[in-house]
Amino acid sequence: MTIVRVVVCGDEGVGKSSLITALVKERFVPNIQHVIPPINIPRDFSDSRSSLNSTILVDTSASNLSSLQYEVRQADVIWLVYSDHYTYERISLYWIPMFRSMGVNLPIIVCNSKLDLQTSSDISVALNEEFMPLLKDFKEVEACIRCSAKENYNINHAFYLCQRAVTHPLSPLYDYKDASMKPLAITALNRVFYLCDRDQDGYLSDEEFLRLQQKCFHKSIDITELETIKTTLNSLMPDCAGEKGITARGFLLLNKFFVESGRHETVWGILRAFNYTDSLSIDEKVLYPKLEIPRYSSVELSPLGYKFLVDLFLLFDKDNDGGLNHHELERLFYPTPGIPKTWKDTNFPRSVVCNEQGYVTLQGWLAQWSMTTFLDHKITLAYLGYFGFESNTSAASTSAALYITKPRKFKKRNGKVFRAPVIDRTVFNCFIVGASGCGKTSLLEAFLGRSFSNAHSPTIQQSFAVNNVELTGGKQCYLIMEELGELENAILANKEKLDFCDVLCFAYDSSDPESFQHLVEVKQKIAYLDSIPSVFVALKADLDRQQQRSDLLPEPYTRTLNISPPLHICSYWNSSLNELMNHIVKAASNPRIATPGLEPEPTEQEPMINPFTIGCGAIGFMVIVSALYMQNFSRR
């Protein structure tokens, strides 16, 4: 239940208690007690625009300082009342400095009471010489209003302003001193414009504006009203609106106009429809919705997620060249904090398929997001929130764009535990293990369709490549290939990281006689590697093959492990490369065939007569009997 606490402050005799009484009784009461006890005002008591459940009004006495300060510390908003020049001067000299010294940072609504005792010239002075300086000099002051308890004038509106100062605060939006919108508000409204500009032409068309109106306020406006808005904008600043629609500059100007005309709840209606909080940050529940991931499950993009990302790519590929250049990427990521840090860490776009100009293709774009979702789904969720993803099932949740796979299961044979086959996954990751210079980097480059280069530089940091792999039968999967660099030993010794690995690719240089020994030593050092599905590959098959100087030779070694012998491939032999990638994915999806040391399933001898034979014999016998019966029946 939302309860707002309004504390009424001011010097003695300014009419605080009379204002409260006139609000509750809806009429002036001449003889009232000095300090009125707290009053609970029910929802929508004074104004149908209020969205609060209830409001508590607390009267105070300036002579009881300890009680006053206690109530101020419990307050959500301060209703500060003055009635003459002396009490007005006390606002800046005493009241606001006192609130600041207490360390409270609350919105203040200043009320000039006893309007019935003032002349028309006094009212003009109050507006020009009293209200404006307060609004400009004190950021705490959100609004100023003139009231009269005796004439019951503006009491309800003053109360509404107190409520609005909490529900729709002005201070995050507008700087009275500079008469301008604040930077965070501008950033938020620019993002709203970006998300509503569905065709990204730089204008909010009539259709887009009406869709924004419906989303934010659940009601529409007619074309005449929309044309009035455009005319008003152009009168404030030329070329802000036209036949194509309202420009980004015009949209900001419109919201500034709302604020300056006292309608900042309209601006908040827009911002909150796009999940902004009072601090003008996007709601954490939108960026990071609660998502329970069972142990041994992985996270992938759902069809909804893939469709959203495909549409996003096509929308920003303005030159229709099939790739996103630097400018297009920058524009695409405009409503976000920028390209994710993890992408930069994986050397994007070098981690995916690019076109000849080096621009990321749709294939590479989807692959990168598949890898991001698999490695850290929270990043994907946050960016879907920034991009404004919505689903028909839940507009506020980005989790509809993700799919959680079934937990990986384990089986046991002859005392050895191994991973069971998986059927619902389409993203797998593979760690490449091998000695420096054996060709791992060239393998990753070839996987992304890049030309072979003789230049060699040792891999220091982890290096990633992700691409789709087409399996037999046409099924598409994404494979993440990860070169471990100098962190190889540390990563392989980390059981938790290995549990996150689907398959290990042990690579050696078939032209280097010392290369295979590195793999033998790694496996001897870390026994847990035998629990991970493994694939061996001999790289640089185009060069002369050398006898490996190792106690254990490749083919006999893999036979002792009961796994397939090494595949001999060359980075620019496409057929052998495709064979390797298929082999890796099959090992990841059906770990039984590639788990080292796992004895093969025994081949069962066919029985003399198996059930299928019995079944076929029985069916044949029935056919013969039926035929003979029909033959005898026809003779009769």
Side-chain angles (χ1 to χ4, degrees), residues 127-424:
L127 179 62
N128 297 315
E129 298 182 14
E130 294 180 357
F131 288 176
M132 293 310 296
L134 290 176
L135 289 168
K136 288 184 177 181
D137 294 341
F138 301 103
K139 63 180 180 62
E140 301 94 327
V141 177
E142 292 230 343
C144 299
I145 189 169
R146 302 185 302 276
C147 296
S148 171
K150 192 170 185 178
E151 297 180 356
N152 199 21
Y153 175 75
N154 265 351
I155 307 293
N156 283 359
H157 190 60
F159 178 61
Y160 165 69
L161 290 177
C162 291
Q163 292 177 317
R164 189 179 68 168
V166 178
T167 60
H168 303 90
L170 177 62
S171 57
L173 302 178
Y174 192 75
D175 189 336
Y176 263 109
K177 186 175 290 186
D178 296 333
S180 62
M181 299 290 283
K182 290 188 175 179
L184 282 179
I186 292 173
T187 299
L189 290 168
N190 278 333
R191 175 177 174 269
V192 170
F193 181 91
Y194 167 99
L195 295 178
C196 294
D197 182 14
R198 298 291 184 91
D199 55 7
Q200 288 298 307
D201 65 346
Y203 294 88
L204 279 188
S205 66
D206 291 355
E207 182 183 349
E208 289 168 340
F209 189 87
L210 293 176
R211 190 185 291 120
L212 168 66
Q213 172 77 17
Q214 186 66 41
K215 175 182 173 69
C216 298
F217 307 106
H218 308 293
K219 61 181 181 181
S220 188
I221 58 174
D222 58 37
I223 297 299
T224 304
E225 290 179 273
L226 183 53
E227 289 302 322
T228 302
I229 290 173
K230 290 182 182 179
T231 303
T232 303
L233 285 176
N234 283 327
S235 67
L236 296 172
M237 186 179 294
D239 302 325
C240 282
E243 291 184 4
K244 288 186 177 181
I246 298 172
T247 65
R249 185 177 61 171
F251 183 67
L252 285 176
L253 183 62
L254 177 62
N255 283 278
K256 183 172 182 280
F257 174 75
F258 286 147
V259 171
E260 291 178 339
S261 58
R263 294 176 53 194
H264 49 277
E265 66 268 29
T266 303
V267 181
W268 276 115
I270 295 171
L271 293 172
R272 284 179 179 152
F274 287 84
N275 305 301
Y276 280 94
T277 64
D278 287 355
S279 62
L280 291 179
S281 61
I282 301 174
D283 194 337
E284 290 286 308
K285 293 179 182 177
V286 173
L287 298 181
Y288 305 105
K290 191 174 181 181
L291 199 62
E292 296 292 338
I293 312 297
R295 190 181 181 191
Y296 299 123
S297 287
S298 61
V299 184
E300 302 179 1
L301 286 165
S302 70
L304 271 178
Y306 277 117
K307 181 183 183 305
F308 178 82
L309 292 169
V310 168
D311 292 343
L312 202 62
F313 181 96
L314 296 177
L315 179 62
F316 284 91
D317 182 18
K318 292 298 184 182
D319 52 11
N320 294 316
D321 65 345
L324 294 179
N325 59 39
H326 176 74
H327 176 73
E328 290 167 339
L329 273 175
E330 185 177 319
R331 180 63 185 160
L332 188 154
F333 279 99
Y334 174 79
T336 76
I339 291 178
K341 181 179 180 300
T342 54
W343 287 28
K344 296 175 181 177
D345 293 341
T346 58
N347 201 23
F348 174 84
R350 293 291 300 176
S351 56
V352 296
V353 174
C354 297
N355 62 18
E356 293 179 357
Q357 289 75 35
Y359 305 152
V360 59
T361 63
L362 177 59
Q363 178 184 349
W365 171 254
L366 296 179
Q368 183 72 23
W369 279 112
S370 298
M371 177 170 69
T372 302
T373 307
F374 181 86
L375 297 178
D376 190 347
H377 68 275
K378 291 182 179 179
I379 295 175
T380 300
L381 284 174
Y383 274 78
L384 288 170
Y386 290 127
F387 287 134
F389 171 86
E390 292 182 352
S391 71
N392 294 329
T393 55
S394 176
S397 177
T398 52
S399 56
L402 303 188
Y403 169 72
I404 302 172
T405 66
K406 295 177 181 177
R408 179 193 292 151
K409 295 183 178 179
F410 296 86
K411 293 185 176 181
K412 194 171 185 178
R413 184 192 302 163
N414 296 333
K416 183 174 180 63
V417 176
F418 64 98
R419 299 173 178 180
V422 294
I423 57 173
D424 67 332

Side-chain angles (χ1 to χ4, degrees), residues 42-53:
R43 178 183 178 178
D44 299 342
F45 173 85
S46 61
D47 197 303
S48 60
R49 294 168 290 181
S50 173
S51 59
L52 300 170
N53 289 335

